[in-house]
């Protein structure tokens, strides 16, 4: 078992120990920031594909010695949620490893891109779920704007230019329906893309690649996050978590000797339920547009009104969120030690980052009421597992 790291509530993520977390404990005195030079998902693939020294001290013991590695990304598998429901996932709970951090914001589009590029968000520029681009708002996962399909207008390979998988071309195993999407083009190398329709097919594709001699395989599963969004963390979620646990064991039992299955996630999740906050009218009056998502909203100020917007947002919502100007987010290293010009241009003027378990709804998406959400900088969203199953 890898030595557990200590965990303290402070501005920099430094790891964690095993234990449970409940919704009432999510509030922290300060946002939890990743250590972009250490135990962070942006360093997992660099450590696996050529820079093993990066992972020393936090990568599970035994990975370096493995003949083959599968990196299985389970969307939405937060460390805190796994500890709370460990009895439902005995295989995962028994594995060696511990928690590492995701990136900021703790959302799929940003985190998966950091994982595959090995770069913080400030470098790769996919800075959220919804991003303002040339006066429109790009939904990154769908790669659409208010005007529809944006693949020809916002070319994915131009939008995100960082190398993928350290310029290597491993097998990428993900859902067949994602193959042609703009986001897939932006964050995955589609030249060796293997689509699957069912979970059994995914298990088959992974193990077939291993038995065929592949040294590294990347696989992605999104069922747990989908269930959490729609149903919260009740019975449906627990059934899905048990299913994921069985899936992990199925892969492990079919791997060749000497292979390793490394499991991580893009973010955790909190249950916001009906705790949805509408922005104060004074804030809306000063806001030209919004981007991001309900747990990490970017407010784009009307011309010349940035300071007024910051003051209004802090006055109205400072007790519900961390409300920060863009300069504080950039200079504070939330997006990494460097923020390129393209990434900076995609940010708003004021960040409203929810604490507790609330969601900040935008008038444009008032009809979409998710139960489970993520994006903010609480422990439940920022801590993800890095676990090793070997043969």
């Amino acid at each position: 078992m890898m030595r557990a790291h200590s965990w303290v509530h402070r501005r920099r993520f430094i790891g964690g120990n095993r234990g449970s977390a409940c919704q009432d404990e999510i509030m922290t005195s300060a946002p939890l920031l990743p250590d972009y030079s250490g135990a962070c998902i942006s360093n997992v693939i660099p450590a696996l594909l050529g820079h093993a020294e990066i992972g020393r001290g936090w990568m599970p013991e035994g990975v370096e010695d493995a003949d083959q590695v599968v990196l299985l990304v389970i969307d939405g598998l937060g460390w805190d949620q796994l500890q709370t429901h460990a009895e439902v996932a005995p295989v995962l709970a028994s594995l060696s490893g511990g928690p590492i951090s995701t990136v900021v914001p703790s959302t799929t589009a940003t985190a998966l891109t950091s994982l595959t590029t090995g770069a913080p968000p400030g470098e790769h520029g996919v800075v959220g779920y919804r991003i303002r681009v040339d006066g429109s708002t790009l939904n990154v996962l769908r790669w659409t704007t208010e005007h529809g399909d944006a693949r020809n207008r916002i070319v994915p390979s131009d939008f995100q230019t960082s190398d993928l998988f350290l310029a290597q071309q491993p097998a990428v195993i993900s859902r067949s329906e994602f193959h042609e999407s703009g986001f897939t083009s932006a964050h995955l190398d589609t030249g060796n893309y293997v689509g699957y329709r069912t979970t059994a097919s995914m298990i088959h594709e992974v193990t077939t690649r291993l038995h065929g001699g592949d040294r590294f395989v990347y696989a992605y599963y999104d069922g747990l996050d989908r269930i959490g969004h729609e149903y919260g963390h009740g019975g449906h979620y627990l059934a899905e978590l048990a299913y994921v646990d069985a899936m992990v064991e199925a892969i492990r039992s079919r791997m060749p000797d000497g292979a390793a299955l490394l499991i991580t996630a893009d973010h955790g999740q909190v249950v916001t339920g009906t705790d949805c906050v509408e922005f104060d009218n004074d804030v809306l009056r000063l806001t030209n547009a919004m981007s991001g998502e309900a747990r990490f909203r970017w407010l784009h100020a009307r011309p010349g009104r940035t300071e007024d917007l910051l003051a209004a947002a802090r006055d109205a919502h400072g007790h519900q969120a961390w409300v920060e100007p863009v300069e504080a987010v950039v200079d504070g290293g939330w997006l990494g030690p460097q923020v390129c010009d393209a990434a900076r241009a995609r940010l708003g003027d004021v960040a409203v980052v929810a604490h507790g378990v609330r969601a900040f709804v935008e008038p444009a998406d008032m009809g979409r009421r998710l139960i489970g959400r993520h994006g903010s900088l609480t422990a439940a969203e920022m801590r993800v597992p890095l676990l090793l199953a070997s043969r």
Side-chain angles (χ1 to χ4, degrees), residues 57-365:
W58 56 269
M59 185 68 71
E61 293 180 8
V63 173
E64 278 192 68
D65 299 326
D67 298 324
Q68 300 167 287
V69 175
V70 177
L71 179 62
L72 174 62
V73 183
I74 301 173
D75 198 316
L77 181 64
W79 173 260
D80 288 16
Q81 294 88 63
L82 180 58
Q83 302 314 297
T84 298
H85 303 297
E87 74 285 352
V88 178
V91 174
L92 287 167
S94 70
L95 300 180
S96 64
I100 62 174
S101 84
T102 186
V103 297
V104 177
S106 56
T107 196
T108 298
T110 304
L112 290 184
T113 308
S114 281
L115 190 62
T116 59
T117 62
E123 295 179 27
H124 62 64
V126 182
V127 291
Y129 165 55
R130 295 169 69 246
I131 302 173
R132 292 290 288 175
V133 183
D134 297 330
S136 297
T137 304
L138 175 69
N139 181 313
V140 175
L141 297 184
R142 296 185 178 91
W143 215 265
T144 58
T145 68
E146 303 91 325
H147 309 293
D149 190 330
R151 285 176 294 180
N152 291 330
R153 290 178 286 112
I154 305 172
V155 179
S157 58
D158 294 336
F159 189 84
Q160 197 297 105
T161 59
S162 296
D163 284 340
L164 303 170
F165 299 104
L166 273 64
Q168 301 181 34
Q169 286 192 313
V172 169
I173 300 174
S174 188
R175 291 193 179 274
S176 297
E177 57 264 38
F178 297 159
H179 187 193
E180 301 298 328
S181 76
F183 178 54
T184 292
S185 297
H187 88 287
L188 290 176
D189 189 338
T190 58
N192 203 4
Y193 192 99
V194 182
Y196 68 86
R197 296 290 184 186
T198 68
T199 308
S201 296
M202 186 267 280
I203 295 169
H204 173 74
E205 296 290 0
V206 168
T207 54
T208 297
R209 287 285 174 161
L210 290 176
H211 284 282
D214 284 25
R215 297 293 305 276
F216 177 75
V217 177
Y218 176 93
Y220 171 75
Y221 180 79
D222 65 340
L224 189 67
D225 187 61
R226 289 187 178 195
I227 291 297
H229 279 310
E230 186 170 354
Y231 294 101
H233 295 170
H236 291 84
Y237 179 88
L238 297 180
E240 180 65 20
L241 181 58
Y243 181 79
V244 167
D245 200 58
M247 178 183 74
V248 167
E249 179 56 30
I251 295 173
R252 177 168 66 174
S253 68
R254 291 165 172 80
M255 294 191 309
D257 290 340
L261 174 62
L262 190 64
I263 299 150
T264 194
D266 50 351
H267 54 73
Q269 201 178 76
V270 299
V271 176
T272 59
T274 59
D275 193 356
C276 296
V277 178
E278 297 182 28
F279 280 104
D280 183 84
N281 285 334
D282 286 341
V283 174
L284 294 176
R285 179 175 53 83
L286 296 163
T287 299
N288 184 52
M290 295 186 192
S291 59
E293 58 197 286
R295 296 278 296 165
F296 195 118
R297 286 284 183 208
W298 279 111
L299 306 180
H300 300 256
R302 294 188 181 278
R305 305 305 299 273
T306 299
E307 292 300 322
D308 294 335
L309 177 59
L310 175 62
R314 281 180 167 167
D315 183 60
H317 303 294
H319 63 294
Q320 301 166 315
W322 298 294
V323 180
E324 298 290 346
V326 63
E327 294 83 6
V329 172
V330 171
D331 295 343
W334 290 29
L335 305 177
Q338 299 179 358
V339 177
C340 68
D341 291 343
R344 177 64 179 82
R346 298 166 186 169
L347 305 177
D349 299 300
V350 176
V352 180
V353 184
H355 46 56
V357 291
R358 61 185 52 85
F360 284 87
V361 296
E362 178 183 359
D365 67 359

